[in-house]
Amino acid sequence: MSSHGFTPGRITFKDSPFYTILEQLTPTVECKIREQTRDNVELKVVLTPTVASRLQADPNLRVMVYCAADSGLNQYTKSDIAFPHQVELKANLDEVKANLKGLKNKPGTTRPADVTNYIRKKPGYPNHIVMTYALTQKRFFVLVNLVQRHPVEDLVLELKRRKTITKEQVLREMKNRAEDSDIVATSTVMSLKCPLSTLRIEVPCRTVVCTHNQCFDASSFLQLQEQAPTWSCPVCSKATSYESLQVDQYVDDILHSTSPDVEQVIIEPDGKWSSPKEDELKGAGGVTPATEDEDELIEIKEPGIVHVKQESLSASGLSLERTPAQSREPSATSSAARLSTNKRSAAQVIDLTGSDDDGDLSPVRPAKRLASNAPHRAYARPAFRNSFSSGLVNGGNFSFTNQTSSESPRHMGGFDA
Protein backbone atom coordinates (compact mmCIF):
# COMPACT_ATOMS: atom_id res chain seq x y z
CA MET A 1 0.00 0.00 0.00
CA SER A 2 1.29 3.42 -0.92
CA SER A 3 -0.15 6.86 -0.32
CA HIS A 4 0.63 10.46 -1.16
CA GLY A 5 3.81 11.62 0.53
CA PHE A 6 4.49 8.27 2.16
CA THR A 7 6.19 5.03 1.19
CA PRO A 8 5.93 2.07 3.62
CA GLY A 9 9.19 1.28 5.38
CA ARG A 10 10.87 4.60 4.59
CA ILE A 11 9.47 6.80 7.36
CA THR A 12 12.17 8.19 9.66
CA PHE A 13 12.01 10.20 12.87
CA LYS A 14 14.11 13.06 14.18
CA ASP A 15 17.12 12.07 16.25
CA SER A 16 16.98 12.23 20.03
CA PRO A 17 19.92 12.04 22.44
CA PHE A 18 17.81 9.88 24.74
CA TYR A 19 16.91 7.12 22.24
CA THR A 20 18.66 5.39 19.36
CA ILE A 21 16.47 3.32 17.03
CA LEU A 22 18.08 -0.08 16.51
CA GLU A 23 15.46 -2.10 14.68
CA GLN A 24 11.89 -1.83 13.41
CA LEU A 25 9.81 -4.64 14.92
CA THR A 26 6.52 -4.17 12.99
CA PRO A 27 5.48 -2.89 9.58
CA THR A 28 4.24 0.70 9.31
CA VAL A 29 0.44 0.89 9.60
CA GLU A 30 -1.67 3.75 8.25
CA CYS A 31 -4.38 5.37 10.41
CA LYS A 32 -7.06 6.62 8.03
CA ILE A 33 -8.94 9.89 8.47
CA ARG A 34 -11.90 9.60 10.83
CA GLU A 35 -13.59 12.99 11.21
CA GLN A 36 -16.79 11.81 12.93
CA THR A 37 -16.16 8.21 13.98
CA ARG A 38 -13.52 6.19 15.76
CA ASP A 39 -11.25 3.46 14.49
CA ASN A 40 -8.39 1.28 15.67
CA VAL A 41 -5.26 -0.27 14.23
CA GLU A 42 -3.46 -3.38 15.47
CA LEU A 43 0.25 -4.10 15.58
CA LYS A 44 1.64 -7.58 16.25
CA VAL A 45 5.06 -7.78 17.90
CA VAL A 46 6.80 -11.16 17.70
CA LEU A 47 10.25 -11.21 19.28
CA THR A 48 13.11 -13.28 17.94
CA PRO A 49 15.23 -15.32 20.37
CA THR A 50 18.07 -12.82 20.03
CA VAL A 51 15.90 -9.78 20.74
CA ALA A 52 14.11 -11.51 23.62
CA SER A 53 17.39 -12.40 25.33
CA ARG A 54 18.75 -8.88 24.85
CA LEU A 55 15.60 -7.37 26.38
CA GLN A 56 15.98 -9.58 29.43
CA ALA A 57 19.67 -8.75 29.87
CA ASP A 58 19.78 -5.00 29.14
CA PRO A 59 17.33 -2.74 31.05
CA ASN A 60 18.11 0.18 28.70
CA LEU A 61 16.86 -1.79 25.68
CA ARG A 62 13.23 -0.76 25.18
CA VAL A 63 10.27 -1.51 22.90
CA MET A 64 8.54 1.74 21.91
CA VAL A 65 5.59 2.78 19.75
CA TYR A 66 6.32 5.61 17.30
CA CYS A 67 3.67 7.63 15.47
CA ALA A 68 3.86 10.50 12.96
CA ALA A 69 1.32 12.71 11.18
CA ASP A 70 1.18 12.87 7.39
CA SER A 71 2.89 16.08 6.28
CA GLY A 72 3.30 15.20 2.61
CA LEU A 73 7.09 15.15 3.01
CA ASN A 74 7.52 12.14 5.27
CA GLN A 75 9.63 10.26 2.73
CA TYR A 76 12.00 13.22 2.26
CA THR A 77 12.38 14.66 5.76
CA LYS A 78 12.53 13.36 9.30
CA SER A 79 9.22 13.48 11.16
CA ASP A 80 8.28 14.60 14.66
CA ILE A 81 6.59 12.14 16.99
CA ALA A 82 2.87 12.97 17.03
CA PHE A 83 -0.16 10.93 18.08
CA PRO A 84 -3.83 11.75 17.32
CA HIS A 85 -5.44 14.14 19.79
CA GLN A 86 -7.94 11.52 21.00
CA VAL A 87 -6.06 8.26 21.30
CA GLU A 88 -5.89 5.20 23.52
CA LEU A 89 -3.13 2.60 23.48
CA LYS A 90 -3.34 -0.97 24.78
CA ALA A 91 -0.75 -3.74 24.87
CA ASN A 92 -2.04 -7.28 25.44
CA LEU A 93 -5.37 -5.77 26.62
CA ASP A 94 -3.60 -3.64 29.26
CA GLU A 95 -3.95 0.14 28.98
CA VAL A 96 -0.62 1.85 28.43
CA LYS A 97 -0.30 4.80 30.79
CA ALA A 98 1.81 7.33 28.92
CA ASN A 99 1.65 10.98 27.91
CA LEU A 100 0.85 10.89 24.18
CA LYS A 101 0.06 14.60 23.69
CA GLY A 102 3.16 16.60 24.60
CA LEU A 103 3.05 20.37 25.10
CA LYS A 104 0.22 22.35 23.53
CA ASN A 105 1.05 24.07 20.22
CA LYS A 106 4.66 22.85 20.39
CA PRO A 107 5.39 20.14 17.82
CA GLY A 108 8.19 17.76 18.63
CA THR A 109 7.57 17.69 22.39
CA THR A 110 5.86 14.26 22.34
CA ARG A 111 7.75 11.19 23.51
CA PRO A 112 7.38 7.67 22.08
CA ALA A 113 5.22 5.28 24.10
CA ASP A 114 7.23 2.73 26.07
CA VAL A 115 5.46 -0.69 26.06
CA THR A 116 8.39 -2.80 27.27
CA ASN A 117 6.76 -3.66 30.59
CA TYR A 118 3.46 -4.63 28.90
CA ILE A 119 4.76 -7.28 26.48
CA ARG A 120 5.89 -10.84 27.13
CA LYS A 121 9.56 -11.27 26.39
CA LYS A 122 9.29 -14.79 24.99
CA PRO A 123 10.52 -15.79 21.54
CA GLY A 124 7.68 -16.31 19.07
CA TYR A 125 4.91 -15.03 21.39
CA PRO A 126 2.43 -12.73 19.53
CA ASN A 127 2.09 -9.46 21.48
CA HIS A 128 -0.93 -7.46 20.31
CA ILE A 129 -0.76 -3.66 20.46
CA VAL A 130 -4.00 -1.83 19.60
CA MET A 131 -4.28 1.94 19.11
CA THR A 132 -7.79 3.42 19.13
CA TYR A 133 -8.24 6.95 17.75
CA ALA A 134 -11.10 9.27 16.73
CA LEU A 135 -11.90 12.65 15.15
CA THR A 136 -8.80 12.95 12.96
CA GLN A 137 -8.52 15.27 9.98
CA LYS A 138 -5.27 13.85 8.61
CA ARG A 139 -3.57 10.52 8.35
CA PHE A 140 -1.15 9.09 10.89
CA PHE A 141 1.43 6.33 10.61
CA VAL A 142 2.33 4.07 13.53
CA LEU A 143 4.99 1.39 14.07
CA VAL A 144 6.99 -0.31 16.84
CA ASN A 145 10.78 0.08 17.16
CA LEU A 146 13.47 -1.52 19.27
CA VAL A 147 15.49 1.36 20.76
CA GLN A 148 18.48 1.86 23.00
CA ARG A 149 17.76 4.29 25.83
CA HIS A 150 20.52 6.64 27.03
CA PRO A 151 20.14 7.68 30.70
CA VAL A 152 20.73 11.28 31.73
CA GLU A 153 23.75 10.26 33.81
CA ASP A 154 25.47 8.84 30.74
CA LEU A 155 24.73 12.00 28.75
CA VAL A 156 26.26 14.19 31.48
CA LEU A 157 29.43 12.06 31.51
CA GLU A 158 29.67 12.34 27.75
CA LEU A 159 29.20 16.10 28.06
CA LYS A 160 32.19 16.31 30.41
CA ARG A 161 34.45 14.29 28.12
CA ARG A 162 33.92 16.26 24.93
CA LYS A 163 35.00 19.80 24.02
CA THR A 164 34.40 22.45 26.67
CA ILE A 165 34.36 26.26 26.89
CA THR A 166 37.79 26.99 28.34
CA LYS A 167 38.53 29.58 30.99
CA GLU A 168 40.91 31.44 28.67
CA GLN A 169 38.20 31.70 26.03
CA VAL A 170 35.74 33.24 28.51
CA LEU A 171 38.30 35.77 29.79
CA ARG A 172 39.21 36.74 26.23
CA GLU A 173 35.57 37.37 25.34
CA MET A 174 35.02 39.46 28.48
CA LYS A 175 38.14 41.52 27.78
CA ASN A 176 37.00 42.22 24.22
CA ARG A 177 33.62 43.44 25.47
CA ALA A 178 35.29 45.66 28.09
CA GLU A 179 37.51 47.30 25.46
CA ASP A 180 34.59 48.01 23.14
CA SER A 181 33.91 51.77 23.18
CA ASP A 182 30.24 51.27 22.33
CA ILE A 183 29.63 49.11 25.40
CA VAL A 184 29.81 50.38 28.98
CA ALA A 185 31.05 47.41 30.99
CA THR A 186 30.18 47.25 34.69
CA SER A 187 30.38 44.60 37.37
CA THR A 188 27.56 42.08 37.41
CA VAL A 189 26.19 39.57 39.91
CA MET A 190 26.16 35.97 38.69
CA SER A 191 24.08 33.35 40.46
CA LEU A 192 25.57 29.96 41.26
CA LYS A 193 22.10 28.38 41.40
CA CYS A 194 20.46 26.64 38.46
CA PRO A 195 17.48 28.63 37.09
CA LEU A 196 15.60 25.35 36.54
CA SER A 197 16.09 23.47 39.83
CA THR A 198 17.02 26.53 42.00
CA LEU A 199 19.79 24.35 43.49
CA ARG A 200 23.53 24.92 43.38
CA ILE A 201 24.96 24.07 39.98
CA GLU A 202 27.02 20.88 39.82
CA VAL A 203 27.94 20.73 36.12
CA PRO A 204 27.75 24.27 34.62
CA CYS A 205 26.94 24.33 30.94
CA ARG A 206 25.57 26.63 28.26
CA THR A 207 25.36 26.59 24.49
CA VAL A 208 28.03 27.82 22.12
CA VAL A 209 25.63 30.46 20.73
CA CYS A 210 24.86 32.01 24.14
CA THR A 211 26.65 35.30 24.94
CA HIS A 212 25.87 35.35 28.67
CA ASN A 213 28.07 33.97 31.45
CA GLN A 214 25.14 32.62 33.46
CA CYS A 215 25.07 28.81 33.31
CA PHE A 216 22.54 26.11 34.20
CA ASP A 217 22.98 22.62 35.57
CA ALA A 218 23.45 19.99 32.85
CA SER A 219 21.61 17.21 34.69
CA SER A 220 18.55 19.36 35.48
CA PHE A 221 18.35 20.62 31.90
CA LEU A 222 18.59 17.13 30.36
CA GLN A 223 16.00 15.69 32.74
CA LEU A 224 13.57 18.40 31.68
CA GLN A 225 14.25 17.77 28.00
CA GLU A 226 13.66 14.06 28.44
CA GLN A 227 10.15 14.78 29.74
CA ALA A 228 9.29 17.51 27.19
CA PRO A 229 12.00 18.18 24.58
CA THR A 230 11.68 21.91 23.89
CA TRP A 231 15.47 22.42 23.50
CA SER A 232 15.69 26.11 24.36
CA CYS A 233 18.13 27.89 26.66
CA PRO A 234 16.50 28.62 30.06
CA VAL A 235 18.45 31.90 30.33
CA CYS A 236 18.14 33.54 26.89
CA SER A 237 15.51 31.22 25.29
CA LYS A 238 17.63 30.61 22.19
CA ALA A 239 17.09 27.37 20.31
CA THR A 240 19.66 24.76 21.18
CA SER A 241 20.42 21.05 20.99
CA TYR A 242 22.37 18.46 22.89
CA GLU A 243 25.26 18.75 20.45
CA SER A 244 25.61 22.51 21.14
CA LEU A 245 25.87 22.10 24.94
CA GLN A 246 29.32 22.58 26.47
CA VAL A 247 30.69 22.75 30.00
CA ASP A 248 31.91 26.23 31.06
CA GLN A 249 35.32 25.86 32.71
CA TYR A 250 35.30 29.46 33.99
CA VAL A 251 32.13 28.95 36.05
CA ASP A 252 33.26 25.46 37.05
CA ASP A 253 36.43 26.97 38.54
CA ILE A 254 34.32 29.44 40.56
CA LEU A 255 32.13 26.61 41.89
CA HIS A 256 35.16 24.63 43.06
CA SER A 257 36.77 27.73 44.64
CA THR A 258 33.77 28.75 46.76
CA SER A 259 32.02 27.09 49.68
CA PRO A 260 28.68 25.34 49.08
CA ASP A 261 26.75 28.06 50.94
CA VAL A 262 27.82 30.80 48.49
CA GLU A 263 24.94 31.45 46.09
CA GLN A 264 26.30 34.30 43.94
CA VAL A 265 29.50 36.10 43.02
CA ILE A 266 30.39 39.52 41.61
CA ILE A 267 32.02 39.43 38.17
CA GLU A 268 34.20 42.38 37.14
CA PRO A 269 34.51 43.47 33.49
CA ASP A 270 38.07 42.10 33.32
CA GLY A 271 36.94 38.63 34.46
CA LYS A 272 37.96 38.86 38.11
CA TRP A 273 35.36 37.66 40.57
CA SER A 274 34.75 37.99 44.31
CA SER A 275 32.21 36.82 46.85
CA PRO A 276 29.78 39.60 47.84
CA LYS A 277 30.03 40.89 51.39
CA GLU A 278 27.09 41.41 53.72
CA ASP A 279 26.92 45.17 53.17
CA GLU A 280 26.96 44.66 49.40
CA LEU A 281 24.14 42.16 49.68
CA LYS A 282 22.13 44.62 51.76
CA GLY A 283 22.74 47.34 49.21
CA ALA A 284 21.53 45.00 46.47
CA GLY A 285 18.33 44.26 48.35
CA GLY A 286 19.54 41.22 50.26
CA VAL A 287 18.65 40.40 53.86
CA THR A 288 21.35 39.86 56.46
CA PRO A 289 20.34 37.19 58.98
CA ALA A 290 20.37 38.21 62.64
CA THR A 291 22.95 36.69 64.95
CA GLU A 292 22.13 34.78 68.09
CA ASP A 293 23.62 37.51 70.32
CA GLU A 294 21.24 40.16 69.06
CA ASP A 295 18.03 40.62 70.99
CA GLU A 296 15.17 42.09 69.06
CA LEU A 297 11.92 43.44 70.39
CA ILE A 298 9.00 42.39 68.28
CA GLU A 299 5.67 44.13 68.68
CA ILE A 300 2.76 41.85 67.94
CA LYS A 301 -0.42 43.62 67.01
CA GLU A 302 -3.70 41.87 66.66
CA PRO A 303 -5.82 42.94 63.70
CA GLY A 304 -8.99 44.86 64.42
CA ILE A 305 -7.87 46.24 67.83
CA VAL A 306 -7.55 50.01 68.14
CA HIS A 307 -5.33 51.22 70.94
CA VAL A 308 -6.79 54.11 72.96
CA LYS A 309 -4.38 56.80 74.03
CA GLN A 310 -4.30 57.15 77.79
CA GLU A 311 -4.02 60.57 79.37
CA SER A 312 -3.40 61.55 82.95
CA LEU A 313 -6.04 63.25 85.03
CA SER A 314 -3.93 66.37 85.28
CA ALA A 315 -3.99 66.74 81.48
CA SER A 316 -7.74 66.26 81.21
CA GLY A 317 -8.49 69.63 82.77
CA LEU A 318 -10.88 68.25 85.42
CA SER A 319 -10.74 69.58 89.00
CA LEU A 320 -12.20 67.47 91.77
CA GLU A 321 -13.36 69.11 95.01
CA ARG A 322 -14.26 67.44 98.26
CA THR A 323 -17.88 67.82 99.29
CA PRO A 324 -18.30 69.58 102.64
CA ALA A 325 -19.10 67.35 105.56
CA GLN A 326 -22.33 69.14 106.42
CA SER A 327 -23.74 68.56 102.95
CA ARG A 328 -23.16 64.80 103.10
CA GLU A 329 -25.27 64.08 106.18
CA PRO A 330 -28.63 64.92 104.61
CA SER A 331 -27.59 63.01 101.53
CA ALA A 332 -26.90 59.95 103.63
CA THR A 333 -30.26 60.37 105.31
CA SER A 334 -31.97 60.71 101.95
CA SER A 335 -30.20 57.60 100.65
CA ALA A 336 -31.25 55.62 103.68
CA ALA A 337 -34.79 56.81 103.18
CA ARG A 338 -34.73 55.68 99.53
CA LEU A 339 -33.55 52.25 100.58
CA SER A 340 -36.42 52.00 103.04
CA THR A 341 -39.14 52.86 100.51
CA ASN A 342 -39.83 49.19 99.98
CA LYS A 343 -41.34 49.01 103.48
CA ARG A 344 -44.50 50.86 104.36
CA SER A 345 -44.22 53.01 107.49
CA ALA A 346 -46.80 53.04 110.24
CA ALA A 347 -49.93 55.12 109.57
CA GLN A 348 -50.11 58.48 111.27
CA VAL A 349 -53.25 60.60 111.81
CA ILE A 350 -52.92 64.21 110.79
CA ASP A 351 -55.34 66.66 112.25
CA LEU A 352 -56.59 68.87 109.44
CA THR A 353 -58.33 71.22 111.88
CA GLY A 354 -55.06 72.52 113.29
CA SER A 355 -54.00 76.12 112.88
CA ASP A 356 -51.41 77.44 110.49
CA ASP A 357 -49.01 78.02 113.37
CA ASP A 358 -48.48 74.29 113.70
CA GLY A 359 -46.84 74.28 110.27
CA ASP A 360 -43.70 75.74 111.78
CA LEU A 361 -42.81 72.26 112.96
CA SER A 362 -42.70 70.83 109.39
CA PRO A 363 -39.24 69.58 108.36
CA VAL A 364 -37.03 71.74 106.20
CA ARG A 365 -35.95 70.24 102.86
CA PRO A 366 -32.17 69.77 102.83
CA ALA A 367 -29.99 71.66 100.39
CA LYS A 368 -28.99 69.99 97.14
CA ARG A 369 -25.60 68.36 96.85
CA LEU A 370 -23.07 70.35 94.89
CA ALA A 371 -21.85 68.90 91.59
CA SER A 372 -18.17 67.95 91.44
CA ASN A 373 -17.51 69.91 88.28
CA ALA A 374 -19.41 73.05 89.27
CA PRO A 375 -17.98 75.95 91.30
CA HIS A 376 -18.58 75.66 95.02
CA ARG A 377 -21.18 78.28 95.84
CA ALA A 378 -23.62 78.64 98.68
CA TYR A 379 -27.22 79.44 97.82
CA ALA A 380 -29.82 80.59 100.36
CA ARG A 381 -32.87 78.38 100.15
CA PRO A 382 -36.09 79.51 101.88
CA ALA A 383 -37.63 77.16 104.34
CA PHE A 384 -40.53 75.17 102.99
CA ARG A 385 -43.53 75.00 105.21
CA ASN A 386 -46.28 72.50 104.85
CA SER A 387 -49.63 73.88 105.87
CA PHE A 388 -52.91 72.13 105.88
CA SER A 389 -56.29 73.72 105.90
CA SER A 390 -59.30 72.22 107.49
CA GLY A 391 -62.15 70.92 105.42
CA LEU A 392 -65.07 68.53 105.56
CA VAL A 393 -65.89 65.96 102.97
CA ASN A 394 -69.29 64.35 103.28
CA GLY A 395 -69.55 65.79 106.75
CA GLY A 396 -66.55 63.94 108.20
CA ASN A 397 -62.84 64.18 108.80
CA PHE A 398 -60.21 62.51 106.61
CA SER A 399 -57.14 60.80 107.93
CA PHE A 400 -54.08 60.61 105.62
CA THR A 401 -51.18 58.26 105.82
CA ASN A 402 -47.94 60.12 106.23
CA GLN A 403 -45.42 59.68 103.36
CA THR A 404 -41.86 58.61 103.80
CA SER A 405 -39.17 61.13 104.51
CA SER A 406 -37.80 60.84 100.99
CA GLU A 407 -41.00 62.23 99.45
CA SER A 408 -42.00 65.84 99.60
CA PRO A 409 -45.16 66.57 101.67
CA ARG A 410 -48.21 67.53 99.67
CA HIS A 411 -50.53 70.41 100.38
CA MET A 412 -53.99 69.04 100.97
CA GLY A 413 -56.95 71.36 100.67
CA GLY A 414 -60.50 71.11 101.90
CA PHE A 415 -63.42 70.39 99.63
CA ASP A 416 -67.08 71.13 100.09
CA ALA A 417 -69.50 68.39 99.46
Side-chain angles (χ1 to χ4, degrees):
M1 178 188 65
S2 62
S3 59
H4 176 69
F6 169 73
T7 302
R10 295 190 58 182
I11 185 171
T12 56
F13 293 88
K14 292 183 178 180
D15 297 331
S16 172
F18 306 103
Y19 312 105
T20 301
I21 299 177
L22 302 178
E23 181 182 349
Q24 185 172 339
L25 299 179
T26 63
T28 303
V29 179
E30 177 187 359
C31 302
K32 298 181 179 180
I33 299 176
R34 294 291 183 264
E35 296 183 354
Q36 298 180 354
T37 59
R38 58 185 300 173
D39 200 355
N40 59 74
V41 294
E42 183 177 351
L43 302 170
K44 184 182 294 186
V45 179
V46 180
L47 302 178
T48 62
T50 304
V51 174
S53 61
R54 291 177 61 187
L55 285 173
Q56 295 176 2
D58 189 0
N60 290 324
L61 201 63
R62 315 300 293 180
V63 177
M64 292 189 169
V65 179
Y66 281 69
C67 185
D70 184 14
S71 62
L73 300 174
N74 297 82
Q75 60 179 344
Y76 306 107
T77 60
K78 294 184 178 181
S79 305
D80 288 321
I81 300 176
F83 288 86
H85 183 68
Q86 296 187 12
V87 63
E88 183 183 40
L89 193 64
K90 290 186 177 181
N92 294 328
L93 301 180
D94 293 331
E95 182 180 357
V96 178
K97 299 183 181 300
N99 183 13
L100 304 178
K101 295 182 180 180
L103 299 180
K104 187 177 181 180
N105 298 328
K106 289 188 177 181
T109 59
T110 306
R111 303 169 55 194
D114 191 348
V115 295
T116 308
N117 298 330
Y118 297 91
I119 65 173
R120 291 173 174 82
K121 304 173 184 62
K122 295 182 179 180
Y125 184 87
N127 295 279
H128 295 276
I129 298 176
V130 179
M131 188 179 77
T132 305
Y133 65 97
L135 306 179
T136 57
Q137 298 180 354
K138 54 186 175 182
R139 295 183 305 171
F140 287 85
F141 308 103
V142 60
L143 67 154
V144 179
N145 288 327
L146 178 67
V147 302
Q148 181 71 39
R149 186 174 69 90
H150 305 290
V152 174
E153 294 78 9
D154 296 346
L155 296 178
V156 174
L157 292 177
E158 181 184 352
L159 194 62
K160 291 180 178 180
R161 289 193 297 262
R162 66 187 188 188
K163 184 179 179 180
T164 61
I165 303 176
T166 62
K167 181 178 179 180
E168 292 75 14
Q169 179 182 351
V170 175
L171 293 176
R172 184 171 58 254
E173 293 176 354
M174 296 178 65
K175 184 178 180 181
N176 293 336
R177 287 196 296 266
E179 294 177 353
D180 192 349
S181 58
D182 297 335
I183 300 177
V184 179
T186 59
S187 60
T188 58
V189 178
M190 185 179 67
S191 175
L192 301 182
K193 299 172 65 177
C194 177
L196 298 175
S197 63
T198 66
L199 300 176
R200 185 178 172 90
I201 299 175
E202 296 182 0
V203 181
C205 70
R206 57 187 176 95
T207 66
V208 293
V209 297
C210 294
T211 58
H212 50 79
N213 294 326
Q214 179 65 52
C215 295
F216 48 87
D217 185 65
S219 179
S220 301
F221 178 75
L222 292 176
Q223 288 178 9
L224 181 63
Q225 300 308 311
E226 185 180 15
Q227 299 297 326
T230 56
W231 293 109
S232 61
C233 176
V235 179
C236 61
S237 301
K238 289 183 179 180
T240 182
S241 62
Y242 175 73
E243 289 73 18
S244 64
L245 294 178
Q246 292 184 358
V247 176
D248 193 325
Q249 293 292 342
Y250 174 76
V251 179
D252 188 65
D253 181 68
I254 296 177
L255 290 170
H256 286 85
S257 302
T258 55
S259 58
D261 58 343
V262 177
E263 298 181 353
Q264 56 187 8
V265 294
I266 298 178
I267 306 296
E268 300 297 336
D270 57 356
K272 297 181 180 179
W273 61 272
S274 60
S275 299
K277 299 179 181 179
E278 294 184 359
D279 54 350
E280 295 177 353
L281 287 177
K282 293 175 64 177
V287 179
T288 304
T291 59
E292 297 180 357
D293 298 336
E294 296 179 357
D295 295 333
E296 297 182 356
L297 296 179
I298 302 176
E299 181 180 0
I300 302 177
K301 296 182 179 180
E302 298 183 4
I305 298 180
V306 180
H307 297 278
V308 180
K309 183 178 180 181
Q310 298 181 355
E311 297 181 356
S312 60
L313 293 177
S314 60
S316 62
L318 297 178
S319 59
L320 301 179
E321 296 182 0
R322 182 180 298 274
T323 305
Q326 62 271 15
S327 64
R328 285 187 289 176
E329 294 178 357
S331 176
T333 306
S334 177
S335 300
R338 283 195 298 268
L339 293 176
S340 62
T341 54
N342 295 331
K343 297 182 180 180
R344 297 180 62 87
S345 58
Q348 297 181 3
V349 178
I350 300 176
D351 188 8
L352 299 180
T353 60
S355 62
D356 294 338
D357 296 335
D358 297 335
D360 296 336
L361 300 177
S362 59
V364 179
R365 186 175 182 179
K368 290 186 177 181
R369 184 178 180 180
L370 295 179
S372 60
N373 57 350
H376 185 67
R377 298 178 182 178
Y379 295 93
R381 180 179 295 274
F384 180 80
R385 295 178 178 271
N386 189 11
S387 60
F388 300 91
S389 60
S390 61
L392 296 176
V393 179
N394 294 331
N397 295 334
F398 273 94
S399 62
F400 293 88
T401 303
N402 190 19
Q403 298 178 347
T404 60
S405 60
S406 62
E407 298 179 357
S408 301
R410 299 179 181 178
H411 180 272
M412 306 300 296
F415 300 91
D416 295 333

